[in-house]
Amino acid sequence: MTSTPPQALVDELEALGPRGRRRAAASAANMFAADVSAAAPVGDPVPVVLDAEDWSQLSAGLVQRMRLLDALYADLYGPRTVLATDVAPVAQLLQDPAYLRTAVGMPTRGNHHLFALTCTVARTADGSWVVLEDAVDVPDGGGTTLELRRVLSRCAPTLYRSTPLRRLHPFFDTVRTSLHQRTRADGRAGRTVVLTEDSSDPLRAFDHSWLANLLGAPVVSVGDLRTGSGTLTLRLPGLDSDPGDAVDALLRLVPSPLVDPLDLGPTPLGGVTGLVEAARCGDVEIFNPLGAGLLENPHLRSALPDLCRQLLHEDLQLRPAGPDTEPATWLGLDPSGGDDLIERPVRLRLLVMGTEDGYEVLPGGIGVTADDSPEALKDVWVTVPETAAVPGVGDTDRTLEHGASASGLADVSGPTELSRATSPGVLTAYPAMTRSIGSDLFWFGRYLERVDSTARLLRTVLDTVNDLDAERSASAGTAQAVLLGAVTEVTTTYPGFPALDLRSRETVRREIESLLTDRHRPGSLAQSYSALAHTTRTLRDLISDDIWPVIARMSQHLRTLGGQDSPPPSPPQEQGLTEIVDGCLTLSGAVADSMPRNLGWDLTEVGRKIERTMSLLALLKSVLGRRRSRAAEARIAGAVALITESGASYRRSYHAAVQPELLLELLLADTSLPRSIAFQLDRLGLALDRLPEVTPSPELRAPLIALRTRIGGWEPQELLHPLDGETSDGAPTAFLEEADAAMDTLRELATAVENRFFRPSESTSRWGIDDV
């Protein structure tokens, strides 16, 4: 059977032409890959279109299937009457490791046990629908469905304007409201969190974060939760003695056997000790309930038609697919690159979720081609009858589906005063700040500064080395060696340039290329950017969609630095580094414009100011810690002024050529210069003062006071005076020891912040070189 799309859509596809369709597919794949941090999928802008009649039939079958699975779960983890009949595959069920006996008898607050189901279906050649697979224990697809709609609608907007179709966001609004009503207790709004694992599959991690965003619940890891006296609480940033915030519901997006090592056995994930007991006591409800994976048993799936008649007294509408099932085909792009559209078999992944009235099916989904060619992702449309009003097409819904998932980094700090009125019966639930979220925000700030400072340093050094390379003077050679050595010292990529023969251009070129592109080299630009991108994606449920195009462009420019994905000749490395710096500026602006000034902002600011101060001290120590000839120092100081963007301020303050002593004085003491040390310490002190504390923390205040006292006592003339009166080239100064001591104090402060507000296991990030 071949499905015919609406004529208006066919006309728009013809208007786009082969070139426009391929361009839309390529743009969608690149945008999707940048958002998800995965290999670019094959995207097909030609949607799978279901009319109202087809959807009514399919959605009714899906809701019935969910009702049946819910009834089965209630029986298998309750009275177990089906095990006493000849219908159920008793032996296979009892032997299934997914049958968790510890979950028997757990209470539920709502009218149903199951919360979500992902069902993979296909249409047969005769027009009927069959089920290929059920995902009950860890359902997914909701976030990916919305992302696919958002990306394809941006890359092929004329297609989406051609056909009235049902929107997706009203579905999530309904589910979120239902979740709110189900978890509220004692006249207060219940708190729901989404438990995820550190998945090696970036698409799965992305999908879970998006779903949490849509449901308005924070993403947590097992380390963010603790149990005690039958209750489940969030670990808040601060001391372990803090009682934490009570959790009323846990949306579980990790396999059931991994959640509690006490009752379910040790697992690689670690789990939350005592979670099963808390659920058994009824103090926390788990969605989907523990042990739901039993419903995915293949023997059970084949018995569903008989079980449906036994439990629901109805005939099963969606039957299992048989071995000889011939799937229907749908119009799509030719995978071989031809200009004509062709028919391809497609399977659909559709999501069913619980509401106050029962169950509802997301009016859309993910279409995946199912032939011998590479898989292609297709959007699933559900059209609206011509006589009906288009539901959910308000400005808010259209805006959200087309890109604005959030207004920025969300308010995750705690209660605030709300002036807007709320709907009757709606209780305000304040967002939560977990330790892992706080740690991610802190490291987001650090990695952003690290990428920015590394890119600025490499760009200026490349420019300066290019200028000096043509000279044969001793001062030019000295300045070149000092600046290249500074790259190694600031990035800590030892042995680096000091161990190389700098007279060999090829050797220098290879080292620079390694610093630009080697993602496995701690301290390199590529590795620091990978850490920034990963940390940004862990905050996906908090960050505005406007950030992802910036991340995509930065990734592309980073690839071109090593000549990858770029036709020869590659663009100059200096140009690529300028694009990276511009991307960091854009990210900084996006965060500053959208992030509420709360605990999350303060932790990000602390991370940024610590990292910028550390980088600046390392740079100044490496280039000014030893005396050189005046000619060489003039060249070196000029490069430092470019890196720190202090040239204009220097010229306004001192009517003289750039001199090391005067430049150091400016960078140490000018509180109006955004890249000076004085400016960083002032802002760092303000951010630390705003951090929540029951009593002042000396471990936070003492290092900052010591740092300010030490740096405030520095006199540039004395700092840069050679020790013991040495006059030879490269003579050490007091600044070497003083800068090391200041950086040690800064590391002490960074460690104190992490120990005070994050759990110790997160004090070292596995995603980047940790210099604290």
Side-chain angles (χ1 to χ4, degrees):
M1 176 181 176
T2 299
S3 301
T4 305
Q7 186 59 44
L9 175 61
V10 173
D11 293 341
E12 289 295 340
L13 287 170
E14 292 179 354
L16 273 178
R19 211 173 192 183
R21 296 193 292 263
R22 284 196 297 269
R23 184 169 56 248
S27 299
N30 290 334
M31 189 183 300
F32 195 93
D35 289 0
V36 178
S37 181
V42 178
D44 189 341
V46 184
V48 172
V49 183
L50 302 176
D51 60 30
E53 183 178 350
D54 287 335
W55 181 249
S56 177
Q57 174 191 350
L58 179 56
S59 61
L62 290 170
V63 169
Q64 183 203 48
R65 191 176 192 84
M66 187 68 160
R67 288 170 44 230
L68 173 60
L69 292 176
D70 185 73
L72 273 171
Y73 181 90
D75 187 84
L76 290 171
Y77 286 94
R80 293 184 279 192
T81 58
V82 297
L83 298 181
T85 67
D86 296 331
V87 176
V90 178
Q92 290 81 0
L93 290 177
L94 293 178
Q95 295 171 7
D96 194 331
Y99 195 1
L100 304 182
R101 272 62 169 187
T102 55
V104 172
M106 280 191 178
T108 182
R109 299 175 188 168
N111 298 324
H112 42 74
H113 294 77
L114 299 184
F115 181 68
L117 160 71
T118 301
C119 196
T120 303
V121 301
R123 176 183 267 170
T124 63
D126 62 4
S128 61
W129 294 95
V130 293
V131 175
L132 304 174
E133 185 182 15
D134 294 310
V136 190
D137 195 47
V138 186
D140 59 5
T144 307
T145 296
L146 191 62
E147 176 69 3
L148 194 62
R149 172 73 56 89
R150 185 184 71 85
V151 166
L152 289 174
S153 65
R154 284 183 170 180
C155 298
T158 57
L159 300 183
Y160 283 79
R161 290 196 292 265
S162 69
T163 308
L165 66 151
R166 294 185 60 179
R167 304 292 171 178
L168 304 179
H169 260 279
F171 169 85
F172 292 106
D173 292 341
T174 300
V175 173
R176 186 169 59 252
T177 301
S178 173
L179 193 61
H180 166 81
Q181 294 296 333
R182 184 167 176 169
T183 58
R184 61 189 298 174
D186 302 326
R188 64 174 180 85
R191 181 181 297 287
T192 301
V193 298
V194 179
L195 178 64
T196 64
E197 60 180 321
D198 189 8
S199 175
S200 59
D201 181 358
L203 181 58
R204 192 178 186 86
F206 164 83
D207 182 84
H208 291 169
S209 295
W210 235 129
L211 180 62
N213 187 355
L214 294 166
L215 297 180
V219 173
V220 301
S221 60
V222 293
D224 293 320
L225 301 170
R226 64 181 173 188
T227 59
S229 302
T231 62
L232 181 68
T233 58
L234 280 175
R235 292 179 182 269
L236 302 178
L239 299 177
D240 286 335
S241 58
D242 194 305
D245 280 353
V247 174
D248 300 282
L250 180 74
L251 179 53
R252 176 184 57 81
L253 295 179
V254 300
S256 292
L258 303 184
V259 298
D260 188 344
L262 180 63
D263 282 287
L264 303 175
T267 73
L269 186 63
V272 183
T273 302
L275 179 60
V276 170
E277 180 63 23
R280 188 179 290 116
C281 292
D283 291 316
V284 61
E285 186 169 14
I286 299 177
F287 309 125
N288 271 342
L290 295 175
L294 178 64
L295 303 176
E296 300 172 8
N297 187 291
H299 300 281
L300 182 65
R301 187 182 307 125
S302 60
L304 287 181
D306 293 332
L307 289 169
C308 186
R309 282 189 289 269
Q310 177 179 328
L311 294 176
L312 302 184
H313 309 291
E314 301 170 2
D315 288 329
L316 188 64
Q317 299 178 38
L318 298 179
R319 292 182 169 271
D324 301 325
T325 299
E326 182 181 351
T329 58
W330 307 80
L331 202 62
L333 299 185
D334 187 347
S336 63
D339 290 344
D340 295 331
L341 298 175
I342 66 169
E343 299 287 341
R344 300 181 68 183
V346 177
R347 60 179 184 270
L348 311 183
R349 288 178 56 80
L350 304 173
L351 178 67
V352 189
M353 298 189 79
T355 67
E356 291 182 81
D357 301 324
Y359 292 106
E360 188 172 330
V361 186
L362 178 65
I366 307 166
V368 183
T369 56
D371 51 21
D372 295 334
S373 300
E375 286 186 350
L377 302 182
K378 301 167 71 70
D379 192 9
V380 177
W381 289 7
V382 177
T383 62
V384 177
E386 294 181 2
T387 57
V390 181
V393 293
D395 292 338
T396 301
D397 177 63
R398 189 180 296 272
T399 299
L400 285 169
E401 281 193 23
H402 289 190
S405 66
S407 60
L409 285 156
D411 182 355
V412 292
S413 63
T416 58
E417 292 295 328
L418 299 180
S419 58
R420 62 180 178 84
T422 56
S423 302
V426 175
L427 299 177
T428 301
Y430 296 115
M433 162 68 83
T434 66
R435 293 188 174 191
S436 60
I437 291 175
S439 179
D440 287 339
L441 289 167
F442 176 78
W443 277 100
F444 170 80
R446 294 202 65 176
Y447 289 139
L448 179 56
E449 285 298 324
R450 193 169 295 180
V451 171
D452 179 75
S453 63
T454 304
R456 289 176 184 275
L457 174 61
L458 286 169
R459 180 182 61 174
T460 303
V461 168
L462 280 174
D463 286 338
T464 306
V465 167
N466 290 338
D467 290 339
L468 299 176
D469 205 29
E471 297 188 29
R472 298 288 180 242
S473 66
S475 62
T478 299
Q480 184 180 35
V482 169
L483 290 172
L484 289 174
V487 171
T488 299
E489 288 197 43
V490 173
T491 60
T492 64
T493 50
Y494 297 103
F497 287 106
L500 301 178
D501 180 5
L502 302 183
R503 293 170 298 181
S504 170
R505 293 186 179 182
E506 179 61 23
T507 300
V508 171
R509 185 197 64 79
R510 286 199 301 268
E511 177 68 8
I512 289 176
E513 185 168 317
S514 172
L515 291 173
L516 294 173
T517 62
D518 189 351
R519 294 176 180 270
H520 303 291
R521 185 176 185 180
S524 70
L525 178 63
Q527 187 272 339
S528 296
Y529 173 76
S530 295
L532 171 65
H534 172 79
T535 306
T536 305
R537 290 185 176 97
T538 64
L539 300 169
R540 170 169 285 280
D541 58 322
L542 307 177
I543 290 181
S544 166
D545 270 352
D546 292 334
I547 283 179
W548 306 117
V550 181
I551 293 291
R553 290 194 296 270
M554 291 175 71
S555 298
Q556 178 62 31
H557 292 309
L558 197 65
R559 287 193 293 269
T560 63
L561 290 176
Q564 305 173 47
D565 298 342
S566 178
S570 300
Q573 292 173 331
E574 294 84 349
Q575 178 183 334
L577 287 168
T578 297
E579 298 291 350
I580 297 295
V581 172
D582 290 345
C584 291
L585 290 172
T586 305
L587 281 178
S588 298
V591 170
D593 283 347
S594 62
M595 191 174 186
R597 274 24 178 197
N598 53 31
L599 177 57
W601 167 266
D602 291 332
L603 290 173
T604 304
E605 275 289 280
V606 169
R608 294 189 67 174
K609 299 315 175 190
I610 286 176
E611 188 67 32
R612 185 174 288 189
T613 307
M614 184 78 73
S615 175
L616 186 55
L617 284 170
L619 173 64
L620 294 175
K621 173 201 166 187
S622 63
V623 298
L624 302 182
R626 296 178 181 274
R627 294 314 302 251
R628 311 289 178 180
S629 68
R630 279 296 177 183
E633 286 183 344
R635 296 172 182 271
I636 294 168
V640 174
L642 286 175
I643 296 169
T644 58
E645 291 189 340
S646 56
S649 295
Y650 183 94
R651 290 187 291 272
R652 287 193 294 268
S653 301
Y654 310 107
H655 299 289
V658 181
Q659 300 174 21
E661 293 84 357
L662 295 179
L663 180 61
L664 181 58
E665 181 181 12
L666 181 73
L667 292 174
L668 288 178
D670 190 345
T671 57
S672 66
L673 185 62
R675 292 188 179 272
S676 74
I677 290 178
F679 185 92
Q680 310 314 312
L681 295 183
D682 281 354
R683 296 302 176 93
L684 178 58
L686 293 173
L688 288 175
D689 288 341
R690 292 191 298 265
L691 294 179
E693 299 174 283
V694 178
T695 57
S697 302
E699 67 272 17
L700 297 181
R701 299 297 181 273
L704 182 59
I705 293 172
L707 191 61
R708 280 174 161 166
T709 302
R710 176 178 292 276
I711 294 177
W714 285 352
E715 291 292 339
Q717 291 287 349
E718 297 178 6
L719 278 178
L720 301 187
H721 190 272
L723 295 174
D724 301 326
E726 291 188 37
T727 58
S728 60
D729 186 57
T733 68
F735 190 38
L736 288 175
E737 184 177 343
E738 286 292 322
D740 280 337
M743 286 191 286
D744 285 342
T745 305
L746 200 58
R747 293 186 183 99
E748 180 185 344
L749 174 60
T751 302
V753 170
E754 293 199 283
N755 288 340
R756 173 67 178 83
F757 292 99
F758 319 130
R759 60 180 182 271
S761 63
E762 291 191 358
S763 294
T764 301
S765 170
R766 70 185 183 88
W767 286 100
I769 173 175
D770 186 352
D771 55 8
V772 300

